[in-house]
Amino acid sequence: MLEIAEFISPTPSPVWRLAKQAGVDLAVGGLPPDDLLQGEAPWDLAPLQRLKQRYEEAGFTLKVIEARPPLNKAKRGLPGRDEEIATVCTLLQNMGKLGIPVWCYEWMTDFNWVRTNLATPSRGGSVVTSFALADVPEDLTTNPPIGEDDLWANLDYFLKKVLPAAEAAGVKISMHPDDPPLSPIRGVGRIMRSIDNYRRLVDSVPSPMNTITLCQGNFTLMTDDLPGAIRGFGKAISFVHFRDVEGTPEAFRETWHDAGKTDMLACMRAYRDIGFDGVLRPDHVPTVEGDSNEHAGYSAFGRLYAIGYIRGLHQSVYGA
């Protein structure tokens, strides 16, 4: 059954206690920080074991790792990509040994999620992040352009190297969409940006470990029927980011979870209908009164509202 988790930074912060107070016991985490490495790499077994223990001592079960070793050479097909891919295989092997079932990754080359305003006014004086293609800086990347055909070829190479390790470890690799789902941006192609492209992803190298992170804020910009897309992908979904937006891929803003373009209750029903058996976490919340916008989209207090809203939807669909 669908379970509610939260992104819990590997370094303890007030969110750790707030999440527990809100009734969240499942963690989506990053890679081990420096204080847990002790001269080893973040994807080595001992640091990952220490990370898992840190979460468990705070009362959390680590369900997803949502951080990546360096992968830009692999994405661009550059010399050194095999070494980068080897670190991913090591990470997956060690996650399997520790019983951490999902690794969330992405195929955004040179830069990750892009926003052009981190303090757009929203309800009651809160602020959210927003994006306008016209405002993207020209110097977003200094690398040469890369097209979508090359990105697909490099992804195919990556999957054929990594999926055998994922299958042996019993760890699902879960592809996060491009954010925004738009191509190109400043000459850099983006391929994880449409429903059809996601179908191509899961069909390209068939494996129960080749799965999807259904980040609703991105997917709802790809389709006017997000519940239908959820039902269409079914068991290929292994992890969910529960958030919403308004606008188009070229110009949008994040919203409160109850104020976007998506029927969130219908989405929760769709997860029930496909028998989704994984974790869902809130994502990209507004920054509210009394909180800092230093980490835009991840306000501690905004997360409390999101958790409560999601818990209400969950109880209405699944029962108490």
Side-chain angles (χ1 to χ4, degrees):
M1 185 175 74
L2 181 153
E3 297 181 286
I4 300 169
E6 179 56 283
F7 181 80
I8 307 295
S9 167
T11 301
S13 72
V15 171
W16 287 48
R17 183 169 294 180
L18 288 171
K20 289 296 292 184
Q21 290 172 350
V24 175
D25 301 317
L26 305 178
V28 175
L31 289 171
D34 290 346
D35 65 306
L36 294 180
L37 296 183
Q38 299 182 15
E40 298 172 281
W43 39 86
D44 287 338
L45 180 61
L48 287 166
Q49 194 164 29
R50 288 190 283 269
L51 175 69
K52 183 184 179 188
Q53 183 177 357
R54 173 178 282 181
Y55 284 121
E56 288 174 347
E57 289 173 349
F60 295 105
T61 300
L62 180 58
K63 303 290 283 189
V64 179
I65 288 183
E66 192 173 345
R68 277 73 64 179
L71 275 177
N72 214 52
K73 292 175 182 175
K75 294 171 185 175
R76 281 188 164 268
L78 298 174
R81 67 174 173 177
D82 287 328
E83 290 79 3
E84 289 186 343
I85 291 171
T87 65
V88 171
C89 292
T90 299
L91 172 64
L92 296 172
Q93 290 160 3
N94 290 328
M95 287 176 62
K97 292 175 183 177
L98 296 171
I100 306 167
V102 176
W103 176 58
C104 176
Y105 72 115
E106 39 74 21
W107 210 248
M108 289 179 271
T109 313
D110 297 355
F111 44 85
N112 202 297
W113 64 295
V114 181
R115 295 293 184 273
T116 53
N117 190 327
L118 299 180
T120 299
S122 187
R123 188 168 68 195
S126 60
V127 296
V128 296
T129 71
S130 63
F131 173 83
L133 180 60
D135 296 334
V136 175
E138 293 185 7
D139 61 352
L140 184 63
T141 179
T142 58
N143 288 331
I146 184 169
E148 295 185 25
D149 288 345
D150 287 337
L151 289 170
W152 277 115
N154 297 336
L155 177 57
D156 185 69
Y157 183 91
F158 173 84
L159 291 173
K160 287 175 178 174
K161 294 277 189 179
V162 166
L163 278 169
E167 291 167 353
V171 175
K172 294 179 178 179
I173 66 170
S174 186
M175 175 70 87
H176 188 285
D178 298 332
D179 187 0
L182 185 66
S183 180
I185 297 178
R186 292 300 181 227
V188 176
R190 317 265 275 188
I191 56 175
M192 301 319 307
R193 57 175 178 80
S194 71
I195 301 297
D196 287 344
N197 283 9
Y198 261 92
R199 291 197 181 102
R200 176 175 172 177
L201 167 74
V202 297
D203 291 342
S204 62
V205 186
S207 169
M209 301 297 116
N210 183 13
T211 67
I212 296 170
T213 292
L214 201 297
C215 182
Q216 292 193 178
N218 299 129
F219 272 90
T220 199
L221 292 173
M222 303 178 196
T223 177
D224 291 328
D225 182 13
L226 184 54
I230 293 168
R231 291 186 173 91
F233 285 120
K235 297 299 184 182
I237 301 170
S238 59
F239 180 37
V240 176
H241 285 182
F242 205 74
R243 65 182 179 94
D244 208 358
V245 299
E246 57 183 6
T248 67
E250 294 79 12
F252 65 87
R253 66 174 62 198
E254 307 275 3
T255 69
W256 288 77
H257 279 70
D258 60 359
K261 70 188 290 286
T262 307
D263 186 334
M264 303 294 251
L265 178 59
C267 289
M268 188 68 74
R269 288 172 175 153
Y271 294 122
R272 177 200 60 196
D273 293 346
I274 66 172
F276 174 68
D277 184 21
V279 299
L280 170 155
R281 76 165 178 88
D283 196 18
H284 294 197
V285 300
T287 298
V288 302
E289 182 70 20
D291 207 352
S292 167
N293 200 39
E294 181 180 359
H295 301 292
Y298 289 89
S299 156
F301 298 159
R303 295 199 213 186
L304 293 179
Y305 183 93
I307 291 169
Y309 179 78
I310 292 167
R311 188 177 297 282
L313 292 179
H314 187 270
Q315 290 185 355
S316 71
V317 171
Y318 288 90

